[in-house]
Coordinates of all heavy atoms in Angstrom, one line a residue:
M1 N 62.1 21.2 36.4 CA 62.4 20.3 35.2 C 61.1 19.8 34.6 O 60.1 19.8 35.2 CB 63.3 19.2 35.7 CG 64.6 19.7 36.3 SD 65.7 18.3 36.9 CE 66.2 17.6 35.3
G2 N 61.2 19.3 33.4 CA 60.1 18.8 32.8 C 59.9 19.4 31.4 O 60.7 20.1 30.9
R3 N 58.8 18.9 30.7 CA 58.5 19.4 29.4 C 57.3 20.3 29.4 O 56.3 20.0 30.1 CB 58.3 18.2 28.5 CG 59.5 17.4 28.3 CD 59.2 16.0 27.6 NE 58.3 16.2 26.5 CZ 57.6 15.2 25.9 NH1 57.7 14.0 26.5 NH2 56.9 15.3 24.9
S4 N 57.3 21.3 28.5 CA 56.1 22.1 28.4 C 55.3 21.5 27.3 O 55.8 21.1 26.2 CB 56.5 23.6 28.0 OG 57.3 23.6 26.8
I5 N 54.0 21.3 27.6 CA 53.1 20.7 26.6 C 51.9 21.7 26.4 O 51.4 22.2 27.4 CB 52.6 19.4 27.1 CG1 53.8 18.4 27.3 CG2 51.6 18.8 26.2 CD1 53.5 17.2 28.0
K6 N 51.6 21.9 25.2 CA 50.6 23.0 24.9 C 49.2 22.4 24.6 O 48.4 23.1 24.1 CB 51.1 23.8 23.7 CG 52.3 24.6 24.1 CD 52.9 25.4 22.9 CE 54.2 26.1 23.4 NZ 55.0 26.6 22.3
T7 N 49.0 21.1 24.9 CA 47.7 20.5 24.7 C 47.3 19.7 25.9 O 48.1 19.2 26.6 CB 47.7 19.7 23.4 OG1 46.4 19.0 23.3 CG2 48.8 18.7 23.4
E8 N 46.0 19.4 26.0 CA 45.5 18.6 27.1 C 45.5 17.1 26.6 O 45.2 16.2 27.4 CB 44.1 19.0 27.6 CG 44.1 20.4 28.2 CD 42.7 20.8 28.6 OE1 41.7 20.1 28.2 OE2 42.5 21.9 29.2
D9 N 45.7 16.9 25.4 CA 45.7 15.5 24.8 C 47.0 14.8 25.0 O 47.8 14.6 24.1 CB 45.3 15.6 23.3 CG 44.0 16.2 23.1 OD1 43.1 15.9 23.9 OD2 43.8 16.8 22.0
I10 N 47.2 14.4 26.3 CA 48.5 13.7 26.6 C 48.1 12.4 27.3 O 47.0 12.2 27.9 CB 49.4 14.6 27.5 CG1 48.7 15.0 28.7 CG2 49.9 15.7 26.7 CD1 49.6 15.7 29.7
I11 N 49.1 11.5 27.4 CA 48.9 10.2 28.0 C 49.7 10.3 29.4 O 50.8 10.6 29.4 CB 49.5 9.1 27.2 CG1 48.6 9.0 25.9 CG2 49.4 7.7 27.9 CD1 49.2 8.0 24.9
I12 N 49.0 9.9 30.5 CA 49.6 9.9 31.8 C 50.1 8.4 32.0 O 49.3 7.5 31.8 CB 48.6 10.2 32.9 CG1 47.9 11.5 32.6 CG2 49.3 10.2 34.2 CD1 48.8 12.7 32.7
T13 N 51.4 8.2 32.3 CA 51.9 6.9 32.6 C 52.3 6.8 34.0 O 52.4 7.8 34.7 CB 53.1 6.7 31.7 OG1 54.2 7.5 32.1 CG2 52.8 7.0 30.2
P14 N 52.7 5.6 34.5 CA 53.1 5.4 35.9 C 54.4 6.2 36.2 O 54.7 6.5 37.4 CB 53.4 3.9 36.0 CG 52.5 3.3 35.0 CD 52.5 4.3 33.8
T15 N 55.2 6.6 35.2 CA 56.4 7.4 35.4 C 56.1 8.9 35.5 O 57.0 9.7 35.8 CB 57.4 7.1 34.3 OG1 56.9 7.4 33.1 CG2 57.8 5.6 34.4
T16 N 54.9 9.3 35.3 CA 54.6 10.7 35.4 C 54.5 11.1 36.9 O 53.6 10.6 37.6 CB 53.2 11.0 34.7 OG1 53.3 10.6 33.3 CG2 52.9 12.5 34.7
T17 N 55.3 11.9 37.3 CA 55.4 12.2 38.8 C 54.5 13.4 39.1 O 54.1 13.5 40.2 CB 56.8 12.5 39.2 OG1 57.4 13.5 38.4 CG2 57.6 11.2 39.1
S18 N 54.4 14.4 38.2 CA 53.6 15.6 38.5 C 53.2 16.3 37.3 O 53.9 16.2 36.2 CB 54.4 16.5 39.5 OG 55.6 16.9 38.8
I19 N 52.2 17.1 37.4 CA 51.7 18.0 36.3 C 51.5 19.4 36.8 O 50.8 19.5 37.9 CB 50.4 17.4 35.7 CG1 50.6 16.0 35.1 CG2 49.9 18.4 34.6 CD1 49.3 15.4 34.6
L20 N 52.0 20.4 36.2 CA 51.7 21.7 36.6 C 50.9 22.4 35.5 O 51.3 22.3 34.3 CB 53.0 22.5 36.8 CG 54.0 22.0 37.9 CD1 55.2 22.8 37.9 CD2 53.3 22.0 39.2
A21 N 49.8 23.0 35.8 CA 49.0 23.7 34.8 C 49.0 25.2 35.1 O 48.7 25.7 36.2 CB 47.5 23.2 34.9
F22 N 49.4 25.9 34.1 CA 49.5 27.4 34.2 C 48.4 28.1 33.3 O 47.9 27.5 32.4 CB 50.9 27.9 33.7 CG 52.0 27.3 34.5 CD1 52.8 26.3 34.1 CD2 52.3 27.8 35.8 CE1 53.8 25.7 34.8 CE2 53.4 27.3 36.6 CZ 54.1 26.3 36.1
K23 N 48.2 29.3 33.7 CA 47.3 30.1 32.8 C 48.0 30.3 31.5 O 49.2 30.3 31.4 CB 46.9 31.4 33.5 CG 46.1 31.3 34.7 CD 45.8 32.6 35.3 CE 45.0 32.5 36.6 NZ 44.8 33.7 37.3
V24 N 47.2 30.6 30.5 CA 47.8 31.0 29.2 C 48.7 32.2 29.3 O 48.3 33.2 29.9 CB 46.7 31.2 28.2 CG1 47.3 31.7 26.8 CG2 45.8 30.0 28.0
N25 N 49.9 32.1 28.8 CA 50.8 33.2 28.9 C 50.3 34.3 28.0 O 50.0 34.1 26.8 CB 52.2 32.8 28.5 CG 52.8 31.8 29.5 OD1 52.5 31.9 30.7 ND2 53.6 30.9 29.1
D26 N 50.4 35.6 28.4 CA 49.9 36.7 27.6 C 51.1 37.5 27.1 O 51.0 38.7 26.8 CB 48.9 37.5 28.3 CG 49.4 38.1 29.6 OD1 50.6 37.8 29.9 OD2 48.7 38.9 30.2
Y27 N 52.3 36.8 27.1 CA 53.5 37.6 26.6 C 54.0 36.9 25.3 O 53.6 35.7 25.0 CB 54.6 37.6 27.6 CG 55.1 36.2 28.0 CD1 56.0 35.5 27.3 CD2 54.7 35.7 29.2 CE1 56.4 34.3 27.7 CE2 55.1 34.5 29.7 CZ 56.0 33.8 28.9 OH 56.4 32.5 29.3
V28 N 54.7 37.6 24.5 CA 55.3 37.0 23.3 C 56.8 37.0 23.4 O 57.4 37.8 24.0 CB 54.8 37.8 22.0 CG1 53.4 37.6 21.8 CG2 55.2 39.2 22.2
E29 N 57.4 36.0 22.7 CA 58.8 36.0 22.7 C 59.4 37.1 21.8 O 58.8 37.5 20.8 CB 59.3 34.7 22.0 CG 59.1 33.5 22.9 CD 59.8 32.2 22.3 OE1 60.4 32.3 21.2 OE2 59.7 31.2 22.9
E30 N 60.5 37.7 22.3 CA 61.1 38.8 21.6 C 62.5 38.4 21.2 O 63.0 37.4 21.7 CB 61.1 40.1 22.5 CG 59.7 40.6 22.8 CD 59.8 41.8 23.7 OE1 60.8 42.4 23.9 OE2 58.7 42.2 24.1
P31 N 63.1 39.1 20.3 CA 64.4 38.7 19.8 C 65.5 38.7 21.0 O 65.3 39.5 21.9 CB 64.8 39.8 18.8 CG 63.5 40.3 18.3 CD 62.6 40.3 19.5
C32 N 66.4 37.8 20.9 CA 67.5 37.7 21.9 C 68.2 39.1 21.9 O 68.6 39.6 20.9 CB 68.5 36.6 21.5 SG 69.9 36.6 22.5
V33 N 68.5 39.6 23.1 CA 69.2 40.8 23.3 C 70.6 40.6 23.7 O 71.3 41.6 24.1 CB 68.5 41.8 24.3 CG1 67.1 42.2 23.8 CG2 68.3 41.1 25.7
R34 N 71.0 39.3 23.7 CA 72.4 39.0 24.0 C 72.9 39.5 25.4 O 74.0 39.9 25.6 CB 73.4 39.5 22.9 CG 73.0 39.0 21.5 CD 73.9 39.6 20.5 NE 75.3 39.1 20.6 CZ 75.7 37.9 20.1 NH1 74.8 37.2 19.4 NH2 76.9 37.5 20.3
C35 N 71.9 39.3 26.4 CA 72.2 39.8 27.7 C 73.1 38.8 28.5 O 73.8 39.2 29.4 CB 70.9 40.0 28.5 SG 70.0 38.4 28.8
G36 N 73.1 37.5 28.1 CA 74.0 36.6 28.7 C 73.4 36.0 30.0 O 74.1 35.2 30.7
S37 N 72.2 36.3 30.4 CA 71.6 35.8 31.6 C 71.5 34.3 31.6 O 71.7 33.6 32.6 CB 70.2 36.4 31.8 OG 70.2 37.7 32.0
C38 N 71.2 33.7 30.4 CA 71.1 32.2 30.3 C 72.4 31.6 30.6 O 72.5 30.5 31.2 CB 70.5 31.8 29.0 SG 71.4 32.5 27.5
I39 N 73.5 32.2 30.1 CA 74.8 31.6 30.3 C 75.2 31.7 31.8 O 75.7 30.7 32.4 CB 75.9 32.4 29.5 CG1 75.6 32.2 28.0 CG2 77.3 31.9 29.8 CD1 76.4 33.1 27.1
L40 N 74.9 32.8 32.4 CA 75.3 33.0 33.8 C 74.5 32.1 34.7 O 74.9 31.7 35.8 CB 75.0 34.5 34.3 CG 75.9 35.5 33.7 CD1 75.4 36.9 34.0 CD2 77.4 35.3 34.1
S41 N 73.3 31.7 34.3 CA 72.4 30.9 35.2 C 72.6 29.4 35.0 O 72.1 28.6 35.8 CB 71.0 31.2 34.9 OG 70.7 32.6 35.0
C42 N 73.2 29.0 33.9 CA 73.3 27.5 33.6 C 74.1 26.8 34.6 O 75.3 27.0 34.7 CB 73.8 27.3 32.2 SG 73.9 25.6 31.7
P43 N 73.5 25.8 35.3 CA 74.3 25.0 36.3 C 75.2 24.0 35.6 O 76.1 23.5 36.3 CB 73.2 24.3 37.1 CG 72.0 24.2 36.2 CD 72.1 25.4 35.3
A44 N 75.0 23.8 34.4 CA 75.9 22.8 33.7 C 77.0 23.5 32.9 O 77.8 22.9 32.2 CB 75.1 22.0 32.7
D45 N 77.1 24.8 33.1 CA 78.2 25.6 32.5 C 78.2 25.6 31.0 O 79.2 25.6 30.3 CB 79.6 25.1 33.0 CG 80.4 26.1 33.7 OD1 79.9 27.2 33.9 OD2 81.5 25.8 34.2
L46 N 76.9 25.7 30.5 CA 76.8 25.7 29.0 C 76.5 27.1 28.5 O 76.3 28.0 29.4 CB 75.6 24.8 28.6 CG 75.7 23.3 29.0 CD1 74.5 22.5 28.6 CD2 77.0 22.7 28.5
Q47 N 76.4 27.3 27.2 CA 76.1 28.5 26.6 C 74.7 28.4 25.9 O 74.7 28.2 24.7 CB 77.1 29.0 25.7 CG 78.5 29.2 26.3 CD 79.6 29.7 25.3 OE1 79.3 30.4 24.4 NE2 80.8 29.2 25.6
P48 N 73.6 28.4 26.6 CA 72.3 28.1 26.0 C 72.0 29.0 24.8 O 71.5 28.5 23.8 CB 71.3 28.4 27.2 CG 72.1 28.2 28.4 CD 73.5 28.7 28.1
V49 N 72.4 30.2 24.8 CA 72.1 31.1 23.6 C 72.9 30.6 22.4 O 72.3 30.6 21.3 CB 72.3 32.6 24.0 CG1 73.8 32.8 24.3 CG2 71.9 33.5 22.8
S50 N 74.1 30.2 22.6 CA 74.9 29.7 21.5 C 74.3 28.4 21.0 O 74.3 28.2 19.7 CB 76.3 29.5 21.9 OG 76.9 30.7 22.5
I51 N 73.9 27.6 21.9 CA 73.3 26.3 21.4 C 72.0 26.6 20.7 O 71.7 26.0 19.6 CB 73.0 25.4 22.7 CG1 74.3 25.0 23.3 CG2 72.2 24.2 22.3 CD1 74.1 24.3 24.7
M52 N 71.2 27.5 21.2 CA 69.9 27.9 20.5 C 70.2 28.4 19.0 O 69.6 27.9 18.1 CB 69.2 29.0 21.2 CG 68.0 29.5 20.5 SD 67.1 30.8 21.5 CE 68.2 32.2 21.3
N53 N 71.3 29.2 18.9 CA 71.6 29.7 17.6 C 72.1 28.6 16.7 O 71.9 28.6 15.5 CB 72.6 30.8 17.7 CG 72.0 32.1 18.3 OD1 70.8 32.3 18.2 ND2 72.8 32.9 19.0
A54 N 72.9 27.6 17.3 CA 73.4 26.5 16.5 C 72.2 25.6 16.0 O 72.2 25.1 14.9 CB 74.4 25.7 17.3
V55 N 71.2 25.5 16.9 CA 70.0 24.7 16.5 C 69.3 25.4 15.3 O 68.9 24.7 14.3 CB 69.0 24.6 17.7 CG1 67.7 24.0 17.2 CG2 69.6 23.6 18.7
K56 N 69.2 26.7 15.4 CA 68.5 27.4 14.3 C 69.3 27.3 12.9 O 68.7 27.2 11.9 CB 68.4 28.9 14.6 CG 67.4 29.2 15.7 CD 67.3 30.6 16.0 CE 66.3 30.9 17.1 NZ 66.3 32.4 17.5
R57 N 70.7 27.2 13.1 CA 71.5 27.0 11.9 C 71.7 25.6 11.4 O 72.3 25.3 10.4 CB 72.9 27.6 12.1 CG 73.0 29.1 12.4 CD 74.5 29.5 12.4 NE 75.4 28.6 13.1 CZ 75.7 28.8 14.4 NH1 75.3 29.9 15.1 NH2 76.6 28.0 15.0
K58 N 71.2 24.6 12.3 CA 71.3 23.2 12.1 C 72.8 22.9 12.0 O 73.3 22.1 11.2 CB 70.6 22.7 10.8 CG 69.1 22.8 10.9 CD 68.5 22.2 9.7 CE 67.0 22.1 9.8 NZ 66.2 23.4 10.0
D59 N 73.6 23.5 12.9 CA 75.1 23.4 12.9 C 75.5 22.3 13.9 O 75.6 22.5 15.1 CB 75.7 24.7 13.3 CG 77.2 24.7 13.2 OD1 77.8 23.6 13.1 OD2 77.8 25.8 13.2
M60 N 75.6 21.0 13.3 CA 75.8 19.9 14.2 C 77.2 19.9 14.9 O 77.3 19.5 16.1 CB 75.7 18.6 13.4 CG 74.5 18.5 12.5 SD 73.0 18.5 13.5 CE 72.9 16.8 13.9
S61 N 78.2 20.4 14.2 CA 79.5 20.4 14.8 C 79.5 21.4 16.0 O 80.2 21.2 17.0 CB 80.6 20.7 13.8 OG 80.3 21.9 13.1
A62 N 78.9 22.5 15.8 CA 78.8 23.5 16.9 C 78.0 22.9 18.1 O 78.4 23.1 19.3 CB 78.1 24.8 16.4
L63 N 77.0 22.2 17.8 CA 76.2 21.6 18.9 C 77.1 20.6 19.7 O 77.0 20.6 20.9 CB 75.0 20.8 18.3 CG 73.8 21.7 17.8 CD1 72.8 20.8 17.2 CD2 73.2 22.5 19.0
K64 N 77.9 19.9 19.0 CA 78.8 19.0 19.8 C 79.9 19.8 20.5 O 80.2 19.5 21.7 CB 79.5 18.0 18.8 CG 78.5 17.0 18.3 CD 79.1 16.1 17.2 CE 78.1 15.1 16.6 NZ 78.5 14.6 15.4
A65 N 80.4 20.8 19.9 CA 81.5 21.6 20.5 C 81.0 22.4 21.7 O 81.7 22.6 22.7 CB 82.0 22.6 19.5
F66 N 79.7 22.7 21.8 CA 79.1 23.4 22.9 C 78.6 22.4 24.0 O 78.0 22.8 25.0 CB 77.9 24.3 22.5 CG 78.3 25.5 21.7 CD1 77.6 25.8 20.5 CD2 79.3 26.3 22.1 CE1 78.0 26.9 19.8 CE2 79.7 27.4 21.4 CZ 79.0 27.7 20.2
D67 N 79.0 21.1 23.9 CA 78.6 20.1 24.9 C 77.1 20.1 25.2 O 76.7 20.0 26.4 CB 79.4 20.4 26.2 CG 80.9 20.1 26.1 OD1 81.2 19.2 25.3 OD2 81.7 20.8 26.8
T68 N 76.3 20.2 24.2 CA 74.9 20.3 24.3 C 74.3 19.1 25.1 O 73.4 19.2 25.9 CB 74.2 20.3 22.9 OG1 74.8 21.4 22.2 CG2 72.7 20.5 23.0
K69 N 75.0 17.9 24.9 CA 74.5 16.7 25.6 C 74.5 16.8 27.1 O 73.9 16.0 27.8 CB 75.2 15.5 25.1 CG 76.7 15.5 25.4 CD 77.4 14.2 25.0 CE 78.9 14.2 25.2 NZ 79.5 15.3 25.9
N70 N 75.3 17.7 27.7 CA 75.5 17.9 29.1 C 74.3 18.6 29.8 O 74.3 18.8 31.0 CB 76.8 18.6 29.5 CG 78.0 17.7 29.1 OD1 77.8 16.5 28.9 ND2 79.2 18.3 29.1
C71 N 73.4 19.1 29.0 CA 72.2 19.8 29.5 C 71.4 18.9 30.4 O 71.1 17.8 30.1 CB 71.4 20.4 28.4 SG 69.8 21.0 29.0
I72 N 71.1 19.4 31.6 CA 70.3 18.6 32.6 C 68.8 18.9 32.5 O 68.0 18.5 33.3 CB 70.8 18.7 34.0 CG1 70.8 20.2 34.5 CG2 72.2 18.1 34.1 CD1 71.1 20.4 35.9
E73 N 68.4 19.8 31.5 CA 67.1 20.2 31.3 C 66.4 20.8 32.5 O 65.2 20.5 32.8 CB 66.3 19.0 30.7 CG 66.9 18.5 29.4 CD 66.1 17.4 28.8 OE1 65.0 17.1 29.2 OE2 66.7 16.8 27.8
C74 N 67.1 21.6 33.2 CA 66.6 22.2 34.5 C 65.6 23.4 34.2 O 64.8 23.7 35.0 CB 67.7 22.8 35.3 SG 68.6 24.2 34.5
G75 N 65.6 24.0 33.0 CA 64.7 25.0 32.6 C 65.1 26.4 33.0 O 64.4 27.4 32.7
L76 N 66.3 26.5 33.7 CA 66.7 27.9 34.2 C 66.9 28.9 33.0 O 66.6 30.0 33.2 CB 67.9 27.8 35.0 CG 67.7 27.5 36.5 CD1 69.1 27.3 37.2 CD2 67.0 28.7 37.1
C77 N 67.4 28.4 31.9 CA 67.7 29.3 30.8 C 66.5 30.0 30.3 O 66.4 31.2 29.9 CB 68.6 28.7 29.7 SG 67.9 27.1 29.2
S78 N 65.4 29.2 30.3 CA 64.1 29.8 29.8 C 63.6 30.7 30.9 O 63.0 31.8 30.6 CB 63.1 28.7 29.6 OG 63.4 28.0 28.5
Y79 N 63.7 30.3 32.2 CA 63.1 31.1 33.3 C 63.8 32.5 33.4 O 63.1 33.5 33.7 CB 63.4 30.3 34.6 CG 62.8 31.0 35.8 CD1 61.4 30.9 36.0 CD2 63.6 31.6 36.7 CE1 60.8 31.5 37.2 CE2 63.0 32.2 37.8 CZ 61.6 32.2 38.1 OH 61.1 32.8 39.1
V80 N 65.1 32.6 33.1 CA 65.7 33.9 33.3 C 65.8 34.7 32.0 O 66.2 35.9 32.1 CB 67.2 33.7 33.8 CG1 67.2 33.0 35.1 CG2 68.0 33.0 32.8
C81 N 65.4 34.1 30.9 CA 65.6 34.9 29.6 C 64.8 36.2 29.6 O 63.6 36.3 29.8 CB 65.1 34.0 28.5 SG 65.3 34.8 26.9
T82 N 65.6 37.2 29.4 CA 65.1 38.6 29.3 C 64.0 38.7 28.2 O 63.1 39.5 28.4 CB 66.2 39.6 29.0 OG1 67.3 39.3 29.9 CG2 65.8 41.0 29.2
S83 N 64.2 38.0 27.1 CA 63.2 38.1 26.0 C 62.1 37.1 26.0 O 61.4 36.9 25.0 CB 64.0 38.0 24.7 OG 65.0 39.0 24.6
K84 N 62.0 36.3 27.1 CA 61.0 35.3 27.3 C 61.0 34.3 26.2 O 60.0 33.7 25.7 CB 59.6 36.0 27.2 CG 59.4 37.1 28.2 CD 59.4 36.6 29.6 CE 59.1 37.7 30.7 NZ 59.6 37.3 32.0
I85 N 62.3 33.9 25.8 CA 62.4 32.9 24.8 C 62.5 31.5 25.5 O 63.1 31.4 26.6 CB 63.8 33.1 24.0 CG1 63.7 34.4 23.3 CG2 64.0 31.9 23.0 CD1 65.1 34.8 22.7
N86 N 61.9 30.5 25.0 CA 61.9 29.2 25.6 C 63.2 28.5 25.2 O 63.3 27.6 24.4 CB 60.7 28.3 25.2 CG 60.5 27.2 26.2 OD1 61.5 26.8 26.8 ND2 59.3 26.6 26.2
V87 N 64.3 29.0 25.8 CA 65.7 28.5 25.4 C 65.8 27.0 25.6 O 66.4 26.3 24.8 CB 66.7 29.3 26.1 CG1 68.1 29.1 25.6 CG2 66.5 30.8 26.1
T88 N 65.2 26.6 26.7 CA 65.4 25.1 27.1 C 64.9 24.2 26.0 O 65.5 23.2 25.7 CB 64.6 24.8 28.4 OG1 65.1 25.7 29.4 CG2 64.9 23.4 28.8
D89 N 63.8 24.6 25.3 CA 63.2 23.8 24.2 C 64.2 23.7 23.1 O 64.4 22.6 22.5 CB 61.9 24.4 23.7 CG 60.7 23.9 24.5 OD1 60.9 23.1 25.4 OD2 59.6 24.2 24.1
Y90 N 64.9 24.8 22.8 CA 65.9 24.8 21.8 C 67.1 23.8 22.2 O 67.6 23.1 21.3 CB 66.5 26.2 21.5 CG 65.6 27.0 20.7 CD1 64.8 28.0 21.3 CD2 65.5 26.9 19.3 CE1 64.0 28.9 20.5 CE2 64.7 27.7 18.6 CZ 63.9 28.7 19.2 OH 63.1 29.5 18.4
V91 N 67.5 23.9 23.4 CA 68.6 23.0 23.9 C 68.2 21.6 23.8 O 69.0 20.7 23.4 CB 69.1 23.5 25.3 CG1 70.2 22.6 25.7 CG2 69.5 24.9 25.3
K92 N 67.0 21.3 24.2 CA 66.5 19.9 24.2 C 66.5 19.4 22.7 O 66.9 18.3 22.4 CB 65.1 19.8 24.7 CG 65.0 19.9 26.2 CD 63.5 19.7 26.6 CE 63.3 19.9 28.1 NZ 61.9 19.9 28.5
K93 N 66.1 20.3 21.8 CA 66.1 19.9 20.4 C 67.5 19.7 19.9 O 67.7 18.7 19.2 CB 65.4 21.1 19.6 CG 65.1 20.7 18.2 CD 64.4 21.9 17.5 CE 64.1 21.6 16.0 NZ 63.5 22.7 15.3
G94 N 68.4 20.5 20.4 CA 69.8 20.3 20.0 C 70.4 19.0 20.5 O 71.1 18.3 19.8
K95 N 70.0 18.6 21.7 CA 70.4 17.3 22.3 C 69.9 16.1 21.4 O 70.6 15.2 21.0 CB 69.8 17.1 23.7 CG 70.6 17.8 24.8 CD 69.9 17.6 26.1 CE 70.1 16.3 26.7 NZ 69.6 16.2 28.1
A96 N 68.6 16.3 21.0 CA 68.0 15.2 20.1 C 68.7 15.2 18.7 O 68.9 14.1 18.1 CB 66.5 15.5 19.9
M97 N 69.2 16.3 18.2 CA 69.8 16.4 16.9 C 71.1 15.7 16.9 O 71.6 15.2 15.8 CB 70.0 17.8 16.5 CG 68.7 18.5 16.1 SD 68.8 20.3 16.0 CE 69.9 20.5 14.5
I98 N 71.8 15.6 18.0 CA 73.2 15.0 18.0 C 73.2 13.6 18.6 O 74.2 13.0 18.9 CB 74.2 15.9 18.7 CG1 73.8 16.2 20.1 CG2 74.5 17.1 17.9 CD1 74.8 16.9 20.9
L99 N 72.0 13.0 18.9 CA 72.0 11.7 19.5 C 72.5 10.6 18.5 O 72.3 10.8 17.3 CB 70.5 11.3 19.9 CG 70.1 11.8 21.2 CD1 68.7 11.4 21.5 CD2 71.0 11.3 22.3
Ligands
SF4_1 S1 68.1 23.7 30.7 FE1 70.2 23.0 30.1 S2 71.1 24.7 29.0 FE2 69.3 25.5 30.1 S3 70.2 26.3 32.1 FE3 69.5 24.1 32.5 S4 71.3 22.8 32.1 FE4 71.7 24.9 31.2
SF4_2 S1 68.9 35.1 28.3 FE1 67.6 35.2 26.5 S2 68.0 37.3 25.7 FE2 69.6 36.9 27.1 S3 71.3 36.0 25.9 FE3 70.1 34.3 26.7 S4 68.6 33.8 25.0 FE4 69.4 35.9 24.6

């Protein structure tokens, strides 16, 4: 769980429990191949790919209908994505859009 941050210019607060630093990724995101891996892996029983598409369309009613707010931000949908898409970031954005 946690947020991906692409810069070193961040503020550490007392609530920061850990930081993981990875090497620069040398892969690129590819188009969704509709494999459904993100759906099968989601512990909250959501449809991350559908939420991602709703975010791209700015479809607020779909975001609500897909129970986007129930995402626990575990990161699994990004981890398993066949196309290396950061699906979790889209779902987080969807949560913020319907607050
Ligand atoms: S980050 Fe959210 S949408 Fe993605 S697998 Fe975890 S609970 Fe499901
Ligand atoms: S795991 Fe990735 S490629 Fe597969 S359906 Fe989900 S978003 Fe698309």
